[in-house]
């Protein structure tokens, strides 16, 4: 049985006995996962490739629903409701639970339009308001100084690290409560990676963060809680400093000491 | 030894590749030479004059050129919205299980020889057009419709391929911000694949303008510019297909060659614009 620590903070989200099965698979890819996500903290998910960490992350904003035939069981409780319910408004859910992807995904439009995109989808048309919120989001994503003189330029002209921060700005512009990071630095150089990591730790004042990473050092550097997953199961969730120093489960210990992976 | 074989292989492939260029140049040269008589006789009048009277040795290509332009324009107006709709459906909306069979049947439609579209148009569409719009049923409108139906599958398939190049991760990013399917199609898929879509449309345009068999059946071969689309008309390829066997004088013969040269230049220009401007490889995200 998994060892799940207590979370002292308020909970942003509570996952209860979540099972997830891909349309093309017979076996569930996630098996009875239960875990809390602490508010205004960073929760990292680690584990070997194929362990289900990205699958779990993409369940939280129901990204799997874009492809037909995928099936959830169990519950994810958010603001007192089960968001796996068939009646859940996915548009609204995804506004409140944002996502950053493995690769920067600047849209084929200007820097300004990229960051304003989510706001415009919500029907905000007022130019001044859009401008103010774009500036604030870019400032919070620590990229305002670099782009303020070229807001009208194509976003694809930015470097990879800049594009990823632009994507973060775009995600926080709509003021989500939770941000999901799916290996956000896997396509970036070390310096850009460091910038994103610093940004993640700063952002937790405003949002609750779940980050999937294949890099244990990254998990240790940025997170407050770490969950170790293996073969679709959550083996252990602990306070990061405890999990990496005194893991409760033998499997966790073997993974973090590099015996497999 | 291996080096010699490599050399032979490299040089023979090079030779074959150069042959292609040579044939293209050759065709151009022949068309140009054969057109000389007509060019010297009529000059620019050839393209501005619509009187085409073999018995008087007067040849003006204006009606044929306009016929090509109008029938192609009609075909594009009819086909483009449908093709884009089909492409959007196939790349973004259709259920996975529907994508493959519908996609394959569209590609099969694109493989139907154009002469069959022509026969089908003559026996099926001509009576319908005659009943609805009057006239004899053979004419510009029927040609435009048959052309539209003929280029539609190709246009839809290539447009779909262009749309399919949009990376999933880019679409997911827009969904993750609360976008609806329509938002994602309008703001991400279409802008991302815009160049490819325009390229696909222009390639289809190139096919339509040079199309011969499908329109020869239903166009009529009458050298007259008329704004009444139900009237018989002609286009460059239709004129060529109908009149080569009747060209009994040098000037007649040369005038047909000049028509062919004009068609070749138009097609070349259109395809070049599509290939070199719009269908360049895009850098990936």
């Amino acid at each position: 049985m998994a060892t799940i620590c207590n979370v002292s903070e308020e909970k942003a989200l509570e996952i209860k006995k979540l099972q997830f099965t891909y349309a093309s698979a017979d076996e569930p890819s996630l098996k009875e996962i239960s875990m809390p996500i602490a508010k205004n903290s960073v929760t990292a998910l680690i584990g070997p490739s194929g362990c289900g960490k990205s699958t779990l992350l993409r369940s939280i904003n129901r990204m799997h629903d874009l492809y037909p035939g995928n099936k959830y069981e169990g519950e994810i409780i958010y603001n007192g409701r089960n968001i796996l319910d068939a009646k859940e408004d996915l548009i609204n859910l995804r506004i409140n639970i944002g996502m950053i992807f493995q690769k920067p995904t600047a849209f084929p439009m200007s820097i300004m339009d990229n960051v304003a995109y989510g706001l415009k989808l919500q029907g905000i048309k007022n130019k001044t308001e859009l401008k103010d919120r774009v500036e604030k989001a870019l400032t919070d994503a620590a990229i305002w100084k670099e782009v303020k003189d070229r807001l009208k330029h194509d976003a694809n002209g930015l470097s990879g690290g800049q594009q990823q921060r632009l994507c973060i700005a775009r995600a926080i512009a709509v003021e989500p409560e939770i941000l999901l990071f799916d290996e956000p630095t896997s396509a970036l150089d070390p310096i850009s990676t460091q910038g994103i990591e610093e940004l993640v730790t700063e952002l937790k004042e405003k949002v609750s963060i779940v980050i999937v990473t294949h890099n244990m050092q990254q998990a240790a550097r940025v997170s407050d809680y770490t969950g170790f997953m293996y073969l679709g199961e959550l083996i252990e969730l602990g306070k990061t400093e405890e999990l990496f120093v005194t893991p409760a489960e033998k499997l966790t210990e073997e993974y973090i000491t590099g015996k497999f992976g | 030894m291996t080096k010699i074989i490599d050399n032979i292989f490299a040089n023979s492939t090079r030779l074959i590749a150069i042959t292609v260029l040579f044939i293209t140049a050759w065709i151009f040269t022949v068309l140009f030479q054969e057109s000389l008589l007509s060019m010297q006789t009529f000059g620019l009048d050839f393209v501005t004059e619509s009187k085409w009277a073999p018995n008087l040795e007067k040849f003006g290509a204006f009606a044929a050129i306009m016929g090509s332009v109008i029938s192609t324009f009609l075909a594009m107006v009819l086909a483009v919205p449908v093709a884009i709709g089909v492409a959007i459906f196939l790349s973004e909306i259709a259920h996975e299980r529907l994508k493959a069979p519908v996609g394959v049947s569209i590609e099969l439609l694109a493989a139907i020889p154009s002469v069959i579209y022509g026969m089908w148009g003559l026996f099926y569409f001509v009576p319908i057009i005659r009943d609805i719009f009057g006239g004899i049923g053979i004419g510009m409108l029927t040609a435009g419709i048959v052309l539209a139906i003929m280029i539609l599958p190709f246009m839809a398939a290539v447009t779909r391929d262009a749309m399919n190049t949009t990376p999933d991760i880019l679409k997911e990013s827009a969904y993750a911000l609360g976008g609806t399917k329509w938002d994602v199609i309008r703001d991400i898929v279409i802008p991302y694949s815009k160049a490819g879509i325009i390229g696909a449309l222009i390639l289809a345009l190139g096919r339509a303008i040079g199309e011969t068999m499908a329109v020869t059946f239903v166009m009529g071969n009458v050298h007259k510019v008329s704004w009444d689309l139900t009237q018989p008309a002609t286009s460059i390829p239709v004129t060529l297909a109908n009149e080569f066997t009747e060209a009994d004088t040098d000037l007649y013969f040369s005038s047909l060659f000049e028509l062919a040269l004009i068609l070749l230049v138009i097609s070349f220009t259109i395809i070049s614009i599509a290939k070199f401007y719009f269908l360049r490889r895009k850098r990936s995200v």
Side-chain angles (χ1 to χ4, degrees):
Chain A
M1 216 28 233
T3 308
I4 308 293
C5 74
N6 282 319
V7 166
S8 46
E9 296 89 348
E10 213 183 315
K11 287 171 195 162
L13 202 77
E14 172 112 54
I15 299 168
K16 287 181 175 169
K17 295 202 169 177
L18 174 67
Q19 293 235 57
F20 175 79
T21 315
Y22 279 108
S24 53
D26 305 322
E27 290 279 298
S29 298
L30 299 177
K31 295 163 195 157
E32 299 236 333
I33 290 182
S34 298
M35 67 182 288
I37 304 291
K39 210 166 194 167
N40 294 103
S41 333
V42 178
T43 304
L45 293 172
I46 60 169
S49 301
C51 69
K53 47 195 194 301
S54 284
T55 306
L56 174 59
L57 194 76
R58 290 163 65 88
S59 301
I60 300 175
N61 65 348
R62 304 257 318 250
M63 218 51 180
H64 299 301
D65 289 53
L66 294 179
Y67 309 96
N70 296 328
K71 198 166 101 237
Y72 309 90
E73 291 156 82
E75 295 179 320
I76 297 177
I77 305 297
Y78 169 64
N79 282 345
R81 66 179 194 274
N82 175 18
I83 57 171
L84 296 182
D85 197 285
K87 291 197 287 284
E88 178 68 27
D89 174 1
L90 296 187
I91 306 289
N92 192 38
L93 177 74
R94 290 178 187 146
I95 290 170
N96 288 313
I97 304 182
M99 189 170 221
I100 311 295
F101 295 80
Q102 297 95 319
K103 285 194 258 173
T105 54
F107 295 152
M109 46 182 92
S110 72
I111 294 170
M112 170 82 191
D113 288 342
N114 258 279
V115 183
Y117 187 70
L119 301 168
K120 284 183 183 162
L121 285 183
Q122 289 178 35
I124 298 170
K125 290 202 182 78
N126 184 314
K127 286 243 163 68
T128 336
E129 187 186 353
L130 282 174
K131 247 189 134 183
D132 289 348
R133 290 183 65 172
V134 166
E135 178 174 344
K136 186 170 180 304
L138 286 167
T139 309
D140 289 345
I143 191 182
W144 171 249
K145 281 193 192 127
E146 290 160 62
V147 301
K148 64 171 197 257
D149 297 325
R150 44 173 172 159
L151 291 175
K152 292 259 157 62
H153 292 213
D154 186 350
N156 281 298
L158 297 171
S159 74
Q162 289 173 324
Q163 285 191 28
Q164 195 61 308
R165 273 180 285 154
L166 177 78
C167 292
I168 294 174
R170 189 172 68 192
I172 57 183
V174 297
E175 296 176 350
E177 292 181 15
I178 300 174
L179 262 187
L180 310 171
F181 287 78
D182 190 0
E183 305 199 13
T185 62
S186 60
L188 301 182
D189 61 85
I191 293 177
S192 307
T193 299
Q194 196 189 350
I196 301 291
E197 287 180 6
E198 281 165 11
L199 189 52
V200 167
T201 47
E202 282 164 27
L203 284 174
K204 70 178 181 184
E205 283 175 28
K206 290 178 181 140
V207 290
S208 315
I209 290 170
V210 186
I211 179 169
V212 163
T213 173
H214 57 266
N215 178 333
M216 276 186 273
Q217 285 74 36
Q218 181 168 75
R221 284 192 296 265
V222 303
S223 70
D224 303 291
Y225 293 92
T226 298
F228 168 60
M229 291 181 69
Y230 186 62
L231 298 178
E233 286 179 68
L234 180 67
I235 305 298
E236 180 169 356
L237 175 76
K239 282 201 155 61
T240 298
E241 65 265 23
E242 288 167 12
L243 185 127
F244 280 104
V245 180
T246 53
E249 297 280 335
K250 191 144 184 348
L251 257 174
T252 315
E253 189 192 328
E254 285 176 2
Y255 182 71
I256 60 176
T257 54
K259 289 212 174 90
F260 71 95
Chain B
M1 188 59 202
T2 33
K3 212 174 164 207
I4 297 173
I5 294 175
D6 262 5
N7 263 331
I8 294 173
F9 184 67
N11 282 318
S12 47
T13 49
R14 182 174 301 132
L15 185 72
I16 295 165
I18 291 171
T19 312
V20 175
L21 284 178
F22 173 73
I23 291 174
T24 314
W26 191 12
I27 292 175
F28 251 113
T29 318
V30 169
L31 290 186
F32 190 78
Q33 275 177 344
E34 296 292 340
S35 314
L36 275 176
L37 176 62
S38 157
M39 286 186 209
Q40 282 157 358
T41 313
F42 303 113
L44 266 181
D45 285 351
F46 188 73
V47 289
T48 53
E49 183 60 54
S50 67
K51 193 175 177 69
W52 183 274
N55 51 343
L56 304 172
E57 296 262 284
K58 286 285 284 178
F59 298 101
F62 187 68
I65 295 172
M66 281 309 283
S68 283
V69 170
I70 294 171
S71 62
T72 307
F73 178 77
L74 262 178
M76 293 298 282
V77 168
L78 296 171
V80 167
V82 184
I84 289 181
V86 171
I88 288 176
F89 177 76
L90 283 179
S91 88
E92 304 302 321
I93 295 169
H95 191 281
E96 292 299 323
R97 261 177 283 176
L98 206 61
K99 276 182 190 174
V102 178
V104 169
S105 21
I106 284 182
E107 276 154 24
L108 284 178
L109 273 180
I112 293 180
S114 59
V115 64
I116 294 174
Y117 281 102
M119 291 165 65
W120 176 64
L122 180 61
F123 289 100
Y124 188 76
F125 258 109
V126 166
I128 295 179
I129 299 291
R130 185 169 49 212
D131 291 348
I132 300 176
F133 297 100
I136 57 170
I138 286 176
M140 193 68 88
L141 183 62
T142 320
I145 293 171
V146 171
L147 259 187
I149 295 171
M150 196 203 85
I151 58 173
L152 191 102
F154 172 78
M155 204 188 254
V158 185
T159 306
R160 174 204 55 185
D161 291 345
M163 287 180 177
N164 277 345
T165 60
T166 314
D168 279 344
I169 195 170
L170 209 57
K171 292 189 254 174
E172 286 179 0
S173 298
Y175 283 116
L177 285 165
T180 61
K181 196 156 240 172
W182 169 237
D183 292 327
V184 174
I185 291 167
R186 184 194 54 205
D187 299 329
I188 309 299
V189 175
I190 292 179
Y192 184 87
S193 50
K194 192 171 58 191
I197 295 172
I198 296 174
L201 299 183
I202 296 180
L203 276 186
L205 173 77
R207 286 185 72 155
I209 207 154
E211 178 48 39
T212 310
M213 286 326 289
V215 282
T216 300
F217 277 85
V218 296
M219 189 75 129
N221 199 29
V222 172
H223 285 267
K224 217 163 77 184
V225 181
S226 164
W227 292 112
D228 181 354
L229 297 179
T230 59
Q231 290 301 308
T234 194
S235 72
I236 301 175
V238 167
T239 305
L240 295 177
N242 278 315
E243 299 187 24
F244 244 110
T245 49
E246 297 165 11
D248 46 6
T249 66
D250 287 347
L251 190 57
Y252 196 173
F253 196 71
S254 177
S255 298
L256 289 173
F257 265 101
E258 192 175 351
L259 260 188
L261 183 66
I262 290 170
L263 180 63
L264 184 64
V265 169
I266 294 174
S267 300
F268 234 72
T269 314
I270 290 172
I271 306 273
S272 305
I273 292 171
K275 284 278 182 202
F276 298 118
Y277 190 72
F278 292 106
L279 298 178
R280 281 175 308 187
R281 249 171 204 291
K282 282 197 72 156
R283 97 199 133 92
S284 61
V285 164

